Amino acid sequence: MLKSEITRLSNKVARQHFAPLRAAATAQRHQIAELKRQVAALEKQIGAVQRRSKSEAAAKPESEEGPNIRFVAKGFRTLRERLGLTADEMGQLIGVSGQSVYNWEHEKARPRARQLAAIAELRGIGKKEARARLEAGASGTSKTGSDD
């Protein structure tokens, strides 16, 4: 009987000491569960923002460009040949180097939006107009060079 009373009292004291620990552990488990829910919600928001930013980034270049101007290297080369221009001459009309024109034609590079607009403008001119523009550009540079 003494042994059972000692066991009962020792269990009572042990429960008193462990009760706050159990309560703290339970509270921490609840906090962990709440934090997991918050992390899941934030990850879901991040995913939505990333999807939205990707779709906006894909749509943005079209809106900045104005009209949608396609560039096809083969078509560009055909345009240059139709106008009877060398790569350097075509570059002068567009405002770039002949090497850039070569790279565009061989699909090693792509023109920027400003250059695409200049190329689109050249699509509507003929050989005479192209030559006139080249001569006007050449005479304009020689005049400014002789004024110095």
Side-chain angles (χ1 to χ4, degrees):
M1 179 128 158
L2 181 61
K3 185 177 177 182
S4 64
E5 186 62 21
I6 292 173
T7 304
R8 187 185 67 78
L9 289 175
S10 65
N11 285 340
K12 182 180 177 184
V13 170
R15 276 193 302 272
Q16 288 173 350
H17 283 21
F18 287 119
L21 294 175
R22 282 188 184 142
T26 303
Q28 288 174 349
R29 280 195 302 275
H30 288 291
Q31 287 176 346
I32 289 170
E34 179 60 30
L35 290 173
K36 284 182 179 180
R37 283 190 289 274
Q38 288 176 358
V39 167
L42 291 173
E43 285 175 346
K44 188 175 179 181
Q45 286 178 351
I46 288 171
V49 168
Q50 286 176 340
R51 284 189 300 276
R52 193 176 324 125
S53 67
K54 283 181 185 177
S55 65
E56 288 173 359
K60 190 177 265 187
E62 293 174 9
S63 63
E64 288 177 355
E65 237 178 69
N68 191 10
I69 301 172
R70 289 185 323 158
F71 177 80
V72 179
K74 186 177 179 181
F76 179 66
R77 183 175 191 159
T78 303
L79 171 67
R80 181 181 62 79
E81 290 171 351
R82 180 180 60 83
L83 295 175
L85 301 174
T86 65
D88 285 330
E89 291 169 338
M90 187 69 148
Q92 287 174 3
L93 287 177
I94 298 171
V96 297
S97 69
Q99 185 65 45
S100 293
V101 172
Y102 174 86
N103 287 338
W104 296 342
E105 287 179 357
H106 290 86
E107 299 181 3
K108 294 182 180 182
R110 293 189 51 83
R112 295 186 176 137
R114 180 183 59 82
Q115 297 156 346
L116 282 173
I119 292 168
E121 182 183 325
L122 292 177
R123 288 180 184 156
I125 68 171
K127 284 184 179 183
K128 290 180 183 177
E129 175 67 20
R131 287 289 167 203
R133 288 186 185 189
L134 277 174
E135 289 173 10
S139 64
T141 56
S142 64
K143 286 180 184 175
T144 55
S146 61
D147 288 342
D148 288 336

